[in-house]
């Protein structure tokens, strides 16, 4: 569906040669890549002008407006932006900057428009873009599982298609979470924007997209001077320790460990507690993550089910396993 050459498509899809790509297409589709391209319907085609546009299929309806409503107040200025119904952000591909744009394309797909310096790893870029709103999570099954709960059920009936907010970069979310400890969302956004501008890499020519920088890498923040941003000394130390753990590989944010192991690894870092660990895990796509001490969750539970004050949020959330992350999202939106 693109204007890439067959050779570019082969390498972007992860094949080592065009011959291998042709053989796979024949085995699976009973046609060569050129024959498949000839069959495509004009009305089905997405033009690649101004970036490469690709469909991201949806397995269930998605409330895109809700996703933007969540991301909006938490944008990292210069790294992320929202314009109308388009979410865009800078990324780094093999050391070089790129830009991704996500927007609704129809009831069954989002549109990813990718502006990339290299195309060889396109399939991995697409996978990462899908994680921004956790498109590969079976949220519909989770909603069905929670629909009978007296607290979460009515919230699902009111907004049945809420997504679990994800992320392109778990490290970025981790830094955002540390900065946001015990401060307002607006205050955290101001500080994380300062951090990104000071230590991120400037990307010229994107001002029209409201993008100016890529987010700083772990090895940069591990030794960064964070003074003057507005952080407490304890949070500065926590950011550097978290960044050092990711940079050295001691802390893995690639979903290669179980939720319990991830939480244990994060909370082993001085200054990081269960809220930070579970929030990072939730944004990474861990479906049973639940930041139980979150003030918004506690307030929502107190309002929606006053009797739940007799229980800790963790105890009240036990019936929601293994979909506590989705329950948390509904509580946030219902608060």
């Amino acid at each position: 569906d693109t204007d890439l050459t067959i050779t570019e498509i082969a390498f972007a899809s992860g094949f080592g040669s065009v011959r291998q790509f042709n053989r796979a297409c024949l085995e699976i589709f009973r046609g060569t890549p050129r024959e498949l391209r000839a069959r495509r319907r004009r009305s089905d085609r997405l033009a690649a002008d101004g970036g490469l546009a690709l469909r991201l299929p949806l397995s269930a309806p998605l409330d895109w407006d809700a996703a933007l409503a969540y991301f909006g107040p938490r944008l990292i200025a210069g790294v992320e932006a929202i314009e109308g119904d388009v979410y865009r952000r800078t990324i780094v591909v093999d050391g070089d900057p790129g830009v991704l744009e996500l927007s609704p394309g129809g009831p069954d797909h989002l549109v990813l428009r990718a502006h990339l310096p290299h195309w060889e790893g396109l399939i991995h870029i697409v996978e990462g873009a899908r994680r921004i709103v956790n498109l590969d999570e079976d949220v519909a099954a989770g909603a069905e599982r929670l629909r009978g709960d007296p607290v979460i059920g009515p919230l699902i009936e009111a907004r049945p298609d809420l997504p679990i907010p994800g992320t392109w970069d778990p490290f970025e979310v981790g830094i955002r979470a540390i900065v946001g400890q015990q401060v307002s969302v607006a205050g955290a956004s101001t500080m994380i924007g300062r951090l990104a501008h000071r230590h991120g890499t400037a990307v010229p020519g994107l001002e029209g997209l409201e993008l100016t920088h890529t987010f700083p890498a772990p090895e940069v923040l591990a030794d960064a001077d964070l003074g003057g941003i507005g952080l407490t000394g304890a949070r500065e130390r926590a950011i550097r320790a978290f960044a050092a753990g990711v940079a050295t590989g001691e802390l893995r944010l690639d979903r290669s460990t179980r939720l319990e192991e991830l939480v244990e690894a994060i909370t082993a870092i001085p200054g990081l507690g269960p809220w930070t660990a579970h929030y990072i895990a939730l944004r990474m796509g861990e479906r049973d993550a639940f930041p139980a001490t979150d003030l918004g969750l506690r307030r929502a539970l107190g309002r929606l089910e006053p009797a739940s004050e007799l229980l800790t949020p963790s105890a009240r959330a036990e019936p929601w396993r293994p979909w506590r992350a989705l329950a948390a999202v509904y509580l946030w939106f219902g608060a």
Side-chain angles (χ1 to χ4, degrees):
D1 285 334
T2 74
D3 288 336
L4 295 174
T5 68
I6 298 300
T7 299
E8 288 172 327
I9 292 171
F11 289 119
S13 302
F15 288 91
S17 69
V18 175
R19 180 176 297 179
Q20 183 186 28
F21 179 51
N22 286 339
R23 186 168 60 250
C25 283
L26 282 169
E27 290 175 354
I28 296 171
F29 299 110
R30 300 294 186 266
T32 68
R34 295 188 187 282
E35 289 171 339
L36 294 177
R37 171 166 276 178
R39 294 178 205 161
R40 67 187 178 186
R41 296 172 295 171
R42 283 307 288 192
S43 60
D44 237 7
R45 185 171 174 232
L46 290 170
D49 299 337
L52 176 65
L54 302 165
R55 291 181 187 82
L56 301 185
L58 305 177
S59 59
L62 172 73
D63 189 337
W64 179 245
D65 289 339
L68 295 184
Y70 184 84
F71 290 139
R74 298 166 177 83
L75 292 176
I76 302 175
V79 176
E80 301 173 285
I82 290 176
E83 181 180 5
D85 62 0
V86 178
Y87 166 85
R88 60 174 61 103
R89 64 160 297 120
T90 58
I91 63 172
V92 178
V93 183
D94 294 333
D96 297 314
V99 172
L100 300 182
E101 299 179 273
L102 282 175
S103 60
D108 62 346
H109 70 280
L110 296 179
V111 173
L112 166 66
R113 188 172 296 276
H115 309 259
L116 302 177
H118 316 292
W119 296 103
E120 289 79 7
L122 180 61
I123 190 170
H124 303 297
I125 300 296
V126 172
E127 290 172 353
R130 293 182 64 83
R131 289 194 292 269
I132 292 174
V133 277
N134 280 314
L135 293 185
D136 294 318
E137 186 60 84
D138 191 359
V139 175
E144 188 62 31
R145 167 70 175 77
L146 298 172
R147 199 176 295 274
D149 184 86
V151 172
I152 307 300
L155 300 178
I156 292 174
E157 291 298 325
R159 301 191 73 167
D161 304 321
L162 288 185
I164 299 176
T167 180
W168 166 261
D169 182 6
F171 172 70
E172 180 183 291
V173 162
I175 298 298
R176 179 67 171 75
I178 297 169
V179 171
Q181 290 175 352
Q182 298 179 340
V183 299
S184 68
V185 171
S189 295
T190 297
M191 288 187 282
I192 196 72
R194 292 171 182 164
L195 182 149
H197 278 70
R198 179 186 296 183
H199 298 291
T201 300
V203 184
L206 300 180
E207 293 80 5
L209 300 179
E210 299 183 45
L211 302 174
T212 60
H213 291 73
T214 58
F215 195 76
E219 54 269 23
V220 172
L221 291 185
D223 297 314
D225 177 5
L226 300 175
I229 291 175
L231 300 163
T232 64
R235 295 215 172 81
E236 291 181 14
R237 292 189 292 273
I239 286 174
R240 285 192 289 267
F242 179 79
V246 176
T248 61
E250 294 180 16
L251 177 59
R252 302 182 64 86
L253 301 178
D254 56 4
R255 296 200 66 180
S256 62
T257 59
R258 296 184 298 111
L259 174 61
E260 295 78 8
E261 295 170 340
L262 176 65
V263 170
E264 183 179 355
I266 294 175
T267 54
I269 298 173
L272 304 189
W275 177 86
T276 305
H278 275 270
Y279 181 77
I280 295 170
L282 184 151
R283 296 288 299 273
M284 286 172 57
E286 291 287 350
R287 66 172 61 171
D288 206 33
F290 189 73
T293 59
D294 184 86
L295 182 59
L297 297 184
R298 296 174 70 91
R299 285 176 173 170
L301 273 174
R303 182 178 64 82
L304 296 169
E305 190 179 51
S308 67
E309 294 180 358
L310 301 176
L311 300 171
T312 65
S314 293
R316 179 60 185 88
E318 280 300 310
W320 302 335
R321 288 184 182 273
W323 290 99
R324 294 188 302 172
L326 184 59
V329 171
Y330 273 99
L331 288 173
W332 281 331
F333 275 92

